[in-house]
Amino acid sequence: MTQTSAAIYGLSGTSLSAGQRAFFRDASPWGFILFKRNVRDADQLRALTSELRDTVGRDAPVLIDQEGGRVQRMGPPHWRKYPPASAYLAATKGDVEAAADLVRVGHRLMADDLRTVGINVDCAPVLDVPIQGSTDAIGDRAFAHGPEAVTRLGRAAAEGLLAGGVLPVIKHIPGHGRAMCDSHHDLPEVKLDLVSLDGWDFAPFKALRDLPAAMTAHVVFKAADAEQPATTSHDTLEIIRERLGFGGLLITDDLSMNALKGSLRERADRALTAGCDIALHCNGDLNEMRQVAEAAVALQGRSLERAEAALARIATAPEPFDAEAEAARFAAAIKGHLDAKAGPAIGEAP
């Protein structure tokens, strides 16, 4: 039997080609990730997630980025539209506890949407805390502009997903909110000292360190490593494990992003050697995936234990939930805020 490899792969279309099917069967990745290009309607998605699992002969996790706002892979007309994270505080006029209630309901509804089509992992919530002038790559994807509110609302989002039987993946650890450029295109650098980072950027991740999985930031933290971004830096990943106390599964952000240099094999090798548990490759390019597969060895040891512990958090039977009533309450509360661009500023960044 082929061992599970320390990788997650995307695919190019709404169904599998013969080449993709053969590659996935041989590479046996831990899981798969879907994007808008893979989504047509509910029937198609159910068939696709079933086919993906059939290729590896097991109940492999299937991931998606379903945050709401501009990062929502499943949307109208087949699924409801969700607001960006910043809209929750706007909808409650800055009342953090009222916003937390809405966040939990919204993410519980998202979980229902995902589970019905065979998706059981959501790459959310975003725990980054933006500062003035930082890249809009985070922007309205952040719940707030202060670590306390981000922590409270991030916890509520994770609780909503878990209650619905979907595994949350917090991102982008140890923090992308101070980045001045988009890591899809360039490599951001943060020069602040660790003590200051503790009180702002790191704070939500440290507070939610009990959550089962996290996605790394392609950001250089100069106080930890002068050259390598968190994803490929042993020293920064050690800070995540020791200083932040995060003991869960560490998944890289997309290895094909331009913040990283070198071949895809080199990027995957650096990330896994540095201490990431699983390498993520998203764009569905078969030649690139083959390179990642050369470096993505069998999932084993502590990484395997973390992966198993994370999947064990997925409820086989979601908590009881009156979806129709809660959906109506949610829609009424967020009416007029589906396209909100920013929540109230809370706190002051160092």
Side-chain angles (χ1 to χ4, degrees):
M1 180 178 176
T2 305
Q3 284 188 296
T4 302
S5 65
I8 297 167
Y9 296 120
L11 55 149
S12 56
T14 55
S15 61
L16 293 181
S17 67
Q20 289 172 330
R21 197 176 294 109
F23 170 75
F24 292 148
R25 183 186 63 243
D26 294 341
S28 190
W30 181 73
F32 304 94
I33 188 166
L34 302 179
F35 289 85
K36 274 189 178 180
R37 65 177 181 267
N38 310 124
V39 175
R40 189 170 64 241
D41 55 43
D43 288 341
Q44 169 266 328
L45 260 186
R46 275 189 288 269
L48 178 59
T49 56
S50 178
E51 186 179 13
L52 286 168
R53 291 180 170 112
D54 285 346
T55 64
V56 292
R58 55 186 160 80
D59 188 18
V62 178
L63 295 73
I64 200 166
D65 293 286
Q66 189 79 342
E67 299 172 14
R70 57 194 160 106
V71 182
Q72 180 172 341
R73 315 307 189 193
M74 293 162 53
H78 302 290
W79 297 275
R80 65 177 55 85
K81 183 178 181 181
Y82 292 96
S86 66
Y88 291 98
L89 275 175
T92 60
K93 297 180 170 57
D95 184 328
V96 175
E97 286 308 310
D101 175 60
L102 276 185
V103 168
R104 192 181 195 281
V105 171
H107 286 73
R108 180 65 179 80
L109 291 166
M110 283 185 197
D112 275 3
D113 293 344
L114 301 182
R115 276 187 70 100
T116 57
V117 293
I119 297 170
N120 59 357
V121 183
D122 191 2
C123 298
V126 169
L127 299 185
D128 305 313
V129 189
I131 65 168
Q132 187 69 33
S134 61
T135 172
D136 196 45
I138 301 301
D140 64 358
R141 298 168 65 194
F143 284 111
H145 294 270
E148 296 86 1
V150 168
T151 297
R152 180 68 187 94
L153 302 188
R155 171 74 71 184
E159 288 173 349
L161 291 170
L162 285 167
V166 171
L167 182 74
V169 179
I170 58 176
K171 59 189 185 186
H172 306 81
I173 199 168
H176 204 296
R178 199 174 295 274
M180 294 296 163
C181 61
D182 184 347
S183 56
H184 287 87
H185 309 295
D186 299 290
L187 178 60
E189 296 183 349
V190 171
K191 298 178 181 179
L192 202 64
D193 63 277
L194 291 177
V195 173
S196 298
L197 289 167
D198 273 338
W200 192 267
D201 307 65
F202 295 171
F205 295 99
K206 190 171 185 178
L208 302 187
R209 61 186 178 273
D210 59 300
L211 291 177
M215 181 178 290
T216 61
H218 294 338
V219 176
V220 172
F221 291 86
K222 292 282 194 178
D225 189 318
E227 296 181 357
Q228 291 295 319
T231 302
T232 55
S233 167
H234 173 271
D235 291 341
T236 308
L237 295 179
E238 190 172 67
I239 284 172
I240 290 170
R241 293 297 191 196
E242 301 299 328
R243 194 179 188 105
L244 277 63
F246 181 74
L249 186 69
L250 272 180
I251 301 169
T252 74
D253 203 345
D254 182 13
L255 293 177
S256 64
M257 290 162 64
N258 289 333
L260 303 183
K261 304 302 179 188
S263 69
L264 269 297
R265 186 193 189 288
E266 290 168 337
R267 297 178 193 192
D269 182 63
R270 288 187 196 120
L272 295 170
T273 300
C276 287
D277 296 308
I278 294 181
L280 171 67
H281 184 273
C282 293
N283 67 22
D285 184 302
L286 200 51
N287 290 327
E288 289 189 3
M289 289 192 290
R290 288 191 177 106
Q291 291 184 53
V292 173
E294 292 174 4
V297 295
L299 191 60
Q300 56 191 338
R302 287 290 293 121
S303 292
L304 177 59
E305 291 173 9
R306 293 183 190 115
E308 291 176 340
L311 293 182
R313 295 284 296 272
I314 301 176
T316 53
E319 293 178 8
F321 182 67
D322 188 339
E324 185 176 348
E326 290 297 86
R329 181 169 77 90
F330 181 74
I334 63 164
K335 187 177 181 181
H337 295 278
L338 283 172
D339 299 306
K341 294 299 181 186
I346 299 175
E348 185 175 344

